[in-house]
Amino acid sequence: MSEARLVQGNEACARGALAAGCTFYGGYPITPSSEIAEHMVRLLPDAGGVFVQMEDEIASLAAVIGASLAGSKAMTATSGPGFSLMQEHIGFATMAEVPCVVVDVMRGGPSTGLPTSPSQGDVMQARWGTHGDHPAIVLAPSSVGEVFDLTVRAFNLAERFRTPVILIYDEVIGHTRESVRLPDQVEIIDRVRPAPDSVDFRPKAAGPNGVPPLPAFGDGHRFHVTGLSHDERGFPTDDGAVAGALLSRIHSKVADHEDEISAAETFMLDDAEVAFFAYGIVGRSAREAVLRVREAGIKAGLIRPTTLWPFPGRQVAVAAKQVDKVIVAEMNLGQLIGEVERAAAGQAEVVGHLRADGEPITPSELVGAVTAAGGGN
Amino acid sequence: MADVKTYLREWAMPHVLCPGCAHGIVMRGFLAAIDQLQLDQDKVAVVAGIGCSSRIVGYIDFCTLHGTHGRAPAFASGLKLARPDLHVMVITGDGDGLAIGGNHLIHAARRNIDITVMLLNNSIYGMTGGQAAPTTPEGAVASTTPAGNTEPNFDACKLMIGAGASFVARVLAANPIEMSKVIADGVRHPGFSFIEIISDCPEYYGRYNKVGGGADMLTWMARRDAGVAVPLSEKKFVEHVPSSAVPLGMTTGVLERDIRPVFTGVRRQEPL
Ligand SMILES: Cc1ncc(C[n+]2csc(CCOP(=O)(O)OP(=O)(O)O)c2C)c(N)n1
Ligand code: SF4
Ligand SMILES: [Mg+2]
């Protein structure tokens, strides 16, 4: 561990990326994510990496995908409007199975919206923003330290499952400075590569865990990469059986490892009668609210997912059997609340505390929400 | 030239191109250029967008990336920056490279990144069924301009020179020997090289404009060749001819060649 020092959320993201082995950054400036690029351009060259400012966000993610196929661990970062532009290539990276990390520092939307204010309005876009059926891995940190940890995790999951991974957090997390000790060493997972002399190499034949080994361009395997539906040789086909099998493999490689990918922290949930469901900065407000209402004798607890997608439905279902009420607090007009309702399946009452005016949800507000909801009764 | 099959994925054949389409001639000409250059086949990466022209990368035996519509120069830029030892080339169409992907193309040119872009200009969107492109001449018929195109069109080479491309050339599919030579020159050029290859689309452009099949279109193309015998400063580009489906002439050959600093991204100059 290094010395404790004040680190901004966006800086922690850049440092996490470096720790994870990132050697390529391509991006386009946008508030409130630009500090990630500004740290990357200073840190990457000395780590042997390359930084490029592209002409837009579409190009940024394209460059990242090109660099990843060249064997680099690569990332980009953006916010709202830029995240919309990236959807095309999130789909491409999913279909072509190119590992990469996309960071979305959420600001108020839709459109240019509230450029300098926090929001959690992109969590459904992170799941379903690109067209077609596809899996999504989306991680959501609540603190500066967790931004670092989950950036590392995002790279590891991207490499392990050969897929884009989205790290999503709001403007408050991005711009908050906290005193943290960043670890000097982290666990690093690298993509599986085929043996250099493997004959009849099939770039899309499932290896262990349903994930095909991925060589780098230029390393001796000549192969084709396409966003069209393709066979195990990576070659386009419109054969329905082959297309169906490809899509279901791409889906299952994530779905079959849901337990490994999903993660939610619980706080004082054991005897709770009312539970908050909150993520990102709201997760921290909710934690504080739990402590405050407990002082008033109300048994409250918290479920704080750090993986939003795949949705940690099982943890919610278990909690719903035990508590009377789940209060879903999010800085949007109701996005993950639908998932919580689905997972709770009528076992607990699900109510929302929703806010989309550019202001973060405070602990006092949530204390009020518990009282208004009648405590645990 | 070595057997062309050395560079082909025969297992991926038959290809999707229509009989008589000049894109096939361009593919052959490109492979002849690679052969002239004697490049290590494993170190060649060819990136394409979406369109009939872009589908060529499926059939050639290099590392190939068939990306998204118009974005090939951006994919190629990431690839080249991450692996400067690779020979990175782009195959794009006039719709792909000049409409949806125009921004990526001009910025790749401006940066002078060391990639070679071959733009196969058939004056139409072939793959989607013959809609008008930014290159469709005024007056020409396309499925979205049934009464004749009323928009002025791009001169791709002028655009690239304006954007700062350090090597710009125009060649004809009707002259494959010259085409291969110029492509090889472009690949050798340090920095961004752009080669507009006049191709055709007998299936749509030819049929809609009644200019005949593949062979007729090649003859017609060859007649339009105004050649390049003078330096660029003295050269006249083809003037804007309103309401003419057939431009009267085209300057071909190398139109711009200059040595400028090559973009390699923000990186350490000496190895760690
Ligand atoms: C984002 C997006 N928009 C539209 C399309 C549909 N589309 C596919 S190819 C094409 C035009 C290709 O034209 P050109 O680049 O001239 O290639 P050609 O087929 O003429 O060789 C279009 C519009 C697409 N694939 N993606
Ligand atoms: S549609 Fe036109 S451009 Fe496409 S392959 Fe056929 S002739 Fe060639
Ligand atoms: Mg075309």
Side-chain angles (χ1 to χ4, degrees), chain B residues 53 93-95 120 122-126:
Chain B
S53 30
D94 49 319
L120 278 60
N122 57 4
S123 307
I124 203 149
Y125 288 1

Side-chain angles (χ1 to χ4, degrees), chain B residues 206-232:
Chain B
R207 200 150 49 84
Y208 291 160
N209 292 287
K210 303 188 172 57
V211 286
D216 305 307
M217 289 192 82
L218 286 173
T219 314
W220 175 57
M221 185 191 294
R223 284 209 197 103
R224 289 161 64 196
D225 187 358
V228 183
V230 288
L232 183 71

Side-chain angles (χ1 to χ4, degrees), chain A residues 13 36 75-79 83 101-105 165-167 169:
Chain A
C13 179
I36 300 174
M75 80 177 290
T76 185
T78 188
S79 299
F83 193 50
V101 172
V102 175
V103 183
D104 174 29
V105 187
V165 173
I166 297 167
L167 181 77
Y169 54 87

Side-chain angles (χ1 to χ4, degrees), chain B residues 192-247:
Chain B
F192 185 86
S193 45
F194 176 81
I195 301 150
E196 180 184 13
I197 304 172
I198 304 299
S199 187
D200 63 27
C201 173
E203 181 60 31
Y204 294 108
Y205 194 95
R207 200 150 49 84
Y208 291 160
N209 292 287
K210 303 188 172 57
V211 286
D216 305 307
M217 289 192 82
L218 286 173
T219 314
W220 175 57
M221 185 191 294
R223 284 209 197 103
R224 289 161 64 196
D225 187 358
V228 183
V230 288
L232 183 71
S233 53
E234 295 163 34
K235 195 172 350 269
K236 279 210 181 102
F237 282 95
V238 181
E239 288 311 317
H240 173 79
V241 187
S243 304
S244 152
V246 186

